[in-house]
Amino acid sequence: MQSTSKRNRLTFGMGTIGRDMVYSLISMYMIYYLTDVIKLPTGTMWWVASIILAARIYDAINDPVMGFIVDNTHTRWGKFKPWIAIGAVLSGLFTILLYTDFNLEGSAFVGAFAVFYLMWGMSFTANDISYWSMLPALSIDQKEREKIGAIARICANVGMFFVVAAIVPLTGLLGERFGSLQKGYFVFAIMISAVMIAGQCITLFGVKEAGLVADRKQSTSLSELFRIIYKNDQLLFTAIAMSLFMIGYMTTTSFGLYFFKYAYGDEGMYSIFALILGVSQITALAVFPMFSKRYERKTLFTASIILIVAGYIIFFFAPATVMLFIGIAGILLFVGQSFVQLLMLMFLADSVDYGHWKLGKRNDSITFSLQPFINKMGGAIASGVVSAIIIISGIKEAETAAEVTKEGLFMMKTAMLIFPLLCIVVSYIIYRKKYKIDSGFYTQILSDLRTRGEITDKADLK
């Protein structure tokens, strides 16, 4: 059984390397691709920005429905793996289509983009919900879940920071090789889509579920869907806190390339900066289990928020051209963020058991459908903020840093740092006041579930 745990940690984690490559390419760089690579006219860009915002909101609202579908799936391969496979193949395909040049303009471009972007979102949702909602089914032990989650988040960050660090130099090289920067992005999209599908195959064929729940054939009616979310108060408050945190975090990261191109004045430094932050974040995730053994989650969460707040303050007051202060601020931000995201993942996993205990039914996928819902809402709002600020500030019309006014730069810096900081502070306040599943309460939840016969003896095995 111990060998199964080790295999699950590795094969579950490796599945998300390519997933986060694809997600980062779409969520963080699609706007930049549209404004600075294919240089859409301002009128078209307003339409596209509106489509992105609307599609992400629709897709986010649709996430609980996808969770409902997964929870009611019963196949010989289980309820998670079929949707992981379907979602991986289709989201890879639509990623490539979004970066394909069909020589369309105006309304034709807007129409094609709307279809591809909406289908990408729905496909990635199918994969994302089924992938992450499998986590609670791998172990019911909090520390084992933390180990699985830590490795998965490390792999996810390897994928994300590969894209962040490589996108400028690699798309440039590919662009030179194939004739244009647009073609460089197209080939890059093909490469990372292939990596995603390969990694997902490792998860599909390598992960073995633990068989924790006594009744594996339970079904949930559509009328119960929102009751499950609303009545699970710990899930609801975790979702609200996570949403605010992700809005802030994704707004900051979405401005990254613009900041280095127009405020710092050196677009190439972005990749170096991202590499440093990636190493810092991955290191933080690697040492998380060590800190978890010594400190309660509430203490770790508070310390992480303090690091993040300090990072934002230093970043805001640091001279835009002094890398030392920007680097220190970035490290503080991303070390704190890595702890927060892993802790929030554990809060969601524990709220699955809490919902099972409180409502009498286990809904892994409906519960975890709130994670992509949160990420998409955060990404939608971040994209809306970035698109509006880039257009209003005059940055979209600039070719170099010298062409951007001081007022435009200040507008970007405020949206990149002050707005996110406020969101993150409010998210922490909600968590401290409303979240109550500590280690003692969680132990009682498991004890009650065992007494009721709703968890099998296998749940005691790690």
Side-chain angles (χ1 to χ4, degrees):
M1 198 69 184
Q2 185 66 26
S3 61
T4 300
S5 296
K6 290 181 178 179
R7 185 182 70 182
N8 279 350
R9 293 174 204 166
L10 181 62
T11 56
F12 182 79
M14 290 185 70
T16 200
I17 295 176
R19 289 178 70 260
D20 275 66
M21 286 183 180
V22 165
Y23 186 76
S24 298
L25 182 63
I26 297 295
S27 66
M28 295 173 66
Y29 299 106
M30 177 57 66
I31 298 294
Y32 182 83
Y33 171 78
L34 297 172
T35 60
D36 284 46
V37 177
I38 64 174
K39 300 183 185 298
L40 286 184
T42 299
T44 304
M45 188 62 211
W46 275 116
W47 278 103
V48 168
S50 299
I51 288 168
I52 291 175
L53 180 61
R56 287 187 176 181
I57 292 174
Y58 165 78
D59 199 29
I61 294 171
N62 191 48
D63 285 340
V65 177
M66 189 67 228
F68 161 81
I69 293 171
V70 175
D71 269 338
N72 284 285
T73 297
H74 305 291
T75 73
R76 58 181 294 189
W77 302 283
K79 64 182 181 180
F80 306 114
K81 292 185 177 181
W83 292 109
I84 291 175
I86 293 169
V89 172
L90 290 180
S91 58
L93 171 63
F94 286 111
T95 297
I96 295 169
L97 290 176
L98 281 167
Y99 284 93
T100 300
D101 181 10
F102 291 102
N103 293 315
L104 300 176
E105 296 180 356
S107 59
F109 178 90
V110 171
F113 180 86
V115 171
F116 294 153
Y117 195 84
L118 181 62
M119 295 305 297
W120 177 86
M122 295 175 67
S123 302
F124 195 85
T125 291
N127 176 271
D128 201 38
I129 290 175
S130 51
Y131 176 84
W132 285 112
S133 61
M134 187 163 59
L135 173 59
L138 302 182
S139 176
I140 210 162
D141 179 76
Q142 281 188 311
K143 297 304 177 184
E144 179 62 24
R145 281 181 178 175
E146 287 174 2
K147 292 175 183 177
I148 297 171
I151 292 174
R153 291 309 314 171
I154 288 171
C155 291
N157 281 286
V158 167
M160 180 185 73
F161 279 105
F162 171 83
V163 172
V164 172
I167 192 162
V168 173
L170 194 51
T171 55
L173 290 173
L174 291 170
E176 292 178 5
R177 172 66 177 82
F178 292 98
S180 71
L181 187 57
Q182 186 282 322
K183 290 182 180 177
Y185 270 80
F186 170 69
V187 175
F188 189 67
I190 293 174
M191 292 168 56
I192 65 170
S193 295
V195 172
M196 178 185 69
I197 293 173
Q200 291 286 277
C201 285
I202 293 174
T203 296
L204 289 168
F205 295 108
V207 167
K208 182 178 181 182
E209 294 175 44
L212 305 174
V213 183
D215 180 14
R216 303 297 291 173
K217 297 295 183 182
Q218 65 176 0
S219 296
T220 300
S221 67
L222 191 59
S223 62
E224 293 179 286
L225 175 59
F226 293 104
R227 174 183 172 273
I228 289 167
I229 297 171
Y230 177 75
K231 292 292 185 181
N232 188 334
D233 55 291
Q234 295 303 282
L235 172 62
L236 187 61
F237 289 124
T238 297
I240 294 170
M242 284 181 68
S243 296
L244 288 167
F245 183 89
M246 290 307 296
I247 288 169
Y249 169 69
M250 295 188 76
T251 298
T252 298
T253 55
S254 296
F255 272 113
L257 189 49
Y258 289 105
F259 177 85
F260 277 91
K261 183 174 182 178
Y262 296 106
Y264 185 77
D266 183 357
E267 184 180 359
M269 184 59 71
Y270 177 71
S271 296
I272 299 172
F273 180 72
L275 181 61
I276 294 171
L277 296 189
V279 171
S280 300
Q281 194 171 43
I282 291 167
T283 301
L285 289 167
V287 301
F288 177 87
M290 179 180 69
F291 283 95
S292 177
K293 289 179 181 179
R294 295 180 140 192
Y295 302 103
E296 290 289 328
R297 288 178 176 177
K298 185 173 290 187
T299 302
L300 292 176
F301 198 94
T302 300
S304 301
I305 294 296
I306 291 172
L307 289 179
I308 291 170
V309 171
Y312 271 111
I313 292 172
I314 293 171
F315 206 140
F316 185 79
F317 289 104
T321 56
V322 180
M323 180 51 66
L324 175 62
F325 293 111
I326 295 173
I328 292 171
I331 290 171
L332 292 174
L333 281 170
F334 280 82
V335 168
Q337 179 272 338
S338 63
F339 270 43
V340 169
Q341 283 204 323
L342 181 55
L343 285 165
M344 286 185 168
L345 183 64
M346 296 302 104
F347 298 157
L348 277 181
D350 290 351
S351 69
V352 170
D353 302 301
Y354 175 81
H356 188 180
W357 171 77
K358 182 178 181 180
L359 304 175
K361 184 174 289 188
R362 191 176 187 86
N363 293 102
D364 310 70
S365 296
I366 291 175
T367 300
F368 266 81
S369 71
L370 292 189
Q371 178 173 254
F373 170 86
I374 288 161
N375 290 340
K376 288 167 189 172
M377 288 298 290
I381 294 172
S383 292
V385 171
V386 172
S387 299
I389 294 298
I390 293 304
I391 294 172
I392 295 170
S393 66
I395 289 175
K396 183 187 178 301
E397 304 302 327
E399 293 291 337
T400 64
E403 297 177 26
V404 182
T405 65
K406 290 182 179 180
E407 291 77 13
L409 289 177
F410 182 77
M411 188 181 296
M412 178 178 71
K413 199 171 182 180
T414 300
M416 178 182 178
L417 301 172
I418 300 301
F419 168 69
L421 177 59
L422 292 174
C423 291
I424 289 170
V425 169
V426 173
S427 77
Y428 173 71
I429 293 171
I430 292 172
Y431 159 76
R432 286 302 299 259
K433 287 185 175 295
K434 297 296 184 180
Y435 191 78
K436 62 183 181 181
I437 305 178
D438 56 17
S439 57
F441 186 24
Y442 185 76
T443 299
Q444 183 62 49
I445 288 170
L446 295 187
S447 176
D448 290 348
L449 289 173
R450 290 189 181 96
T451 300
R452 283 153 43 178
E454 296 179 23
I455 293 180
T456 68
D457 290 338
K458 293 179 182 180
D460 294 315
L461 298 176
K462 303 177 185 179

